[in-house]
Amino acid sequence: RKEVEQDPGPFNVPEGATVAFNCTYSNSASQSFFWYRQDCRKEPKLLMSVYSSGNEDGRFTAQLNRASQYISLLIRDSKLSDSATYLCVAAGGSYIPTFGRGTSLIVHP
Amino acid sequence: GAVVSQHPSRVICKSGTSVKIECRSLDFQATTMFWYRQFPKQSLMLMATSNEGSKATYEQGVEKDKFLINHASLTLSTLTVTSAHPEDSSFYICSALKWTSGTSYEQYFGPGTRLTVT
């Protein structure tokens, strides 16, 4: 079983839609969590860190549920430019990050 | 954010030659850097953790004699692919840890190096 699991999608949504991704992690010792965005043939770019209290950055909201060991990312008012692969990351005390395989999002007109 | 550069961005080499890839943190010091490789439509695979001033820690299945890592300064880590073969062709990406507080950090990626071995 992979340590970090994500639904690969693709999620195909119209512009303006709200879409949510979930990610589960198996290592209960994980302490730090992040969402990254990766465009085709590019490097991952940090989208946001995920804090225990949940955090919001514009149209993006991330939440952490330690009891159920999952994190989520909510994107409101989807834009065409949001089309990308979203990577979930969990890291433990050694700071070594474990990446999920990514969830593909396609936003269409 | 923070800036991590990687050089070269693209390299084509012949089988049997060695290729060195540089990863630099431009606006922060990074005691820890990571090297990944990624095949098309697959997830990032961590190859090794590079710690400044000490030997790199390699993930299981990664040959340390083939993928030489040197983290000689707080802003530079290098990955040398020795005696490259076509199966080493991949997208190699480095990242650096930036501490935002005593206990919080963020990881920033370089733009990647696309290696093609002919």
Side-chain angles (χ1 to χ4, degrees):
Chain A
R1 180 174 170 229
K2 274 190 69 68
E3 291 188 41
V4 177
E5 296 205 47
Q6 295 180 251
D7 180 346
F11 285 64
N12 208 317
V13 304
E15 267 187 294
T18 295
V19 62
F21 308 136
N22 281 337
C23 162
T24 58
Y25 60 95
S26 60
N27 185 355
S28 58
S30 297
Q31 297 176 7
S32 302
F33 307 90
F34 310 89
W35 281 102
Y36 280 79
R37 167 200 172 121
Q38 186 174 26
D39 294 289
C40 188
R41 298 174 73 84
K42 299 281 190 182
E43 78 279 16
K45 291 193 187 298
L46 179 64
L47 185 62
M48 56 199 307
S49 303
V50 186
Y51 303 119
S52 297
S53 54
N55 46 306
E56 185 174 311
D57 182 3
R59 298 182 293 111
F60 299 85
T61 301
Q63 292 195 312
L64 166 64
N65 185 319
R66 285 192 185 272
S68 301
Q69 295 185 199
Y70 78 82
I71 69 174
S72 64
L73 176 68
L74 182 78
I75 305 175
R76 290 180 297 278
D77 188 23
S78 300
K79 312 287 184 195
L80 295 176
S81 57
D82 292 335
S83 298
T85 297
Y86 291 82
L87 303 169
C88 167
V89 182
S94 62
Y95 318 123
I96 295 177
T98 301
F99 281 78
R101 293 175 67 90
T103 297
S104 175
L105 172 65
I106 302 170
V107 182
H108 58 82
Chain B
V3 181
V4 175
S5 71
Q6 203 172 324
H7 178 81
S9 59
R10 185 180 296 269
V11 58
I12 301 172
C13 70
K14 294 194 173 181
S15 190
T17 60
S18 295
V19 174
K20 180 187 277 191
I21 303 170
E22 292 186 350
C23 178
R24 293 180 188 272
S25 56
L26 297 186
D27 53 355
F28 65 100
Q29 294 183 327
T31 53
T32 302
M33 291 184 173
F34 301 101
W35 286 96
Y36 298 84
R37 64 189 296 181
Q38 186 174 36
F39 293 106
K41 298 190 186 300
Q42 294 193 22
S43 60
L44 289 166
M45 186 195 86
L46 179 65
M47 299 175 67
T49 302
S50 171
N51 294 298
E52 187 266 336
S54 65
K55 289 184 180 179
T57 303
Y58 290 81
E59 295 299 301
Q60 194 172 13
V62 178
E63 299 174 59
K64 59 183 68 176
D65 293 332
K66 180 167 182 62
F67 298 99
L68 300 178
I69 291 172
N70 185 8
H71 194 151
S73 79
L74 287 172
T75 58
L76 174 65
S77 175
T78 60
L79 167 69
T80 302
V81 183
T82 62
S83 187
H85 290 286
E87 57 265 30
D88 297 325
S89 298
S90 187
F91 190 43
Y92 291 86
I93 313 175
C94 72
S95 70
L97 281 190
K98 178 183 180 184
W99 290 89
T100 55
S101 72
T103 55
S104 299
Y105 63 90
E106 292 173 339
Q107 184 185 193
Y108 291 91
F109 285 83
T113 297
R114 197 161 297 282
L115 171 64
T116 304
V117 185
T118 61

